[in-house]
Amino acid sequence: MTRDEIVRQALVVAETEGMEKLSLHKIAAAVGVRTMSLYNHVGDKADVLDAMADVILKGIVIPDADEMPWEDALRALARAFRVAALQYPHSAPLVLTRRLNAPAAMPVVEAALRILGRAGLDGASAVHVLRAVIAFLIGTLSREVGFAPTYAGAIPGVVAMRERDLIESGLPAVAAASAELAVCDHEIEMEFGLELLLDAVRRRVEALS
């Protein structure tokens, strides 16, 4: 038994049974040892959760972006983040809520800041943009893994209402967009939001030049 094996089995338990069912007892059973034996390799459950998040972060394949236009490089990095998170959809909230400041995340931060520097942003502006991109990724991926609402087909009492009833209820904008609200393609939504961010960054770069 090693720490890596404990963390690997913790991810297996979380992905097969859900994060709410994850416990040191179940992890120990998956590894094939008594619960107390885990403490030779991990501090506590929080230590295991942090290590699980680090596995996901280390799975981000940072693109070789030096030869790409900065826009393509930032797109590639954001997509790589999404791919890594969706390999462990039940465990991904650990990254999104508790470990984005972990050492394992620093190579991603380094890559993003280098890309934004190539775009022509100074250090302070690059950090502001980085934080905006991180906030966007946290939001869109939280929605995709079921950690945040999508408004797709699940607005209480709204989807079943006829358009006329929605309008009479004082919700004309919801009525007009009801077909679009009923579905949510997560990849399309991420790409749409990413392009909005890129447009904003371009304008900031132009304003600074």
Side-chain angles (χ1 to χ4, degrees):
M1 180 178 61
T2 65
R3 179 180 173 88
D4 287 347
E5 175 65 8
I6 292 169
V7 175
R8 188 180 73 81
Q9 290 298 335
L11 285 164
V12 171
V13 172
E15 294 306 312
T16 55
E17 300 187 36
M19 281 295 302
E20 69 280 0
K21 299 288 184 66
L22 185 67
S23 67
L24 291 180
H25 176 73
K26 287 203 171 186
I27 296 168
V31 176
V33 300
R34 294 179 182 273
T35 303
M36 291 303 296
S37 298
L38 297 180
Y39 292 105
N40 294 321
H41 303 277
V42 298
D44 52 19
K45 183 178 177 181
D47 185 26
V48 176
L49 296 177
D50 286 344
M52 291 165 64
D54 287 346
V55 168
I56 300 171
L57 287 166
K58 290 174 182 176
I60 299 173
V61 180
I62 297 174
D64 185 6
D66 289 343
E67 302 303 319
M68 297 181 188
W70 70 263
E71 296 99 324
D72 290 343
L74 200 58
R75 286 189 190 96
L77 188 60
R79 291 166 182 163
F81 190 100
R82 176 176 180 263
V83 168
L86 293 184
Q87 287 184 5
Y88 302 97
H90 294 291
S91 305
L94 295 174
V95 174
L96 304 176
T97 59
R98 64 188 285 153
R99 289 298 278 176
L100 281 174
N101 62 341
M106 290 304 103
V108 181
V109 173
E110 171 71 16
L113 291 175
R114 288 177 60 184
I115 291 167
L116 295 169
R118 285 200 295 113
L121 295 175
D122 58 36
S125 295
V127 170
H128 290 320
V129 171
L130 170 65
R131 287 174 176 154
V133 171
I134 289 173
F136 165 71
L137 289 174
I138 289 172
T140 191
L141 287 170
S142 293
R143 181 178 60 204
E144 186 161 5
V145 300
F147 202 62
T150 64
Y151 298 105
I155 305 176
V158 167
V159 174
M161 294 175 69
R162 294 176 300 174
E163 183 173 346
R164 184 183 65 187
D165 295 332
L166 288 168
I167 293 172
E168 291 177 353
S169 297
L171 300 170
V174 172
S178 59
E180 289 75 20
L181 283 170
V183 295
C184 182
D185 185 309
H186 294 292
E187 185 173 3
I188 289 175
E189 296 298 334
M190 177 176 170
E191 293 293 333
F192 183 87
L194 189 56
E195 291 306 312
L196 288 179
L197 276 172
L198 288 171
D199 286 343
V201 176
R202 287 190 201 98
R203 290 194 294 272
R204 177 53 61 94
V205 169
E206 292 168 359
L208 293 174
S209 61

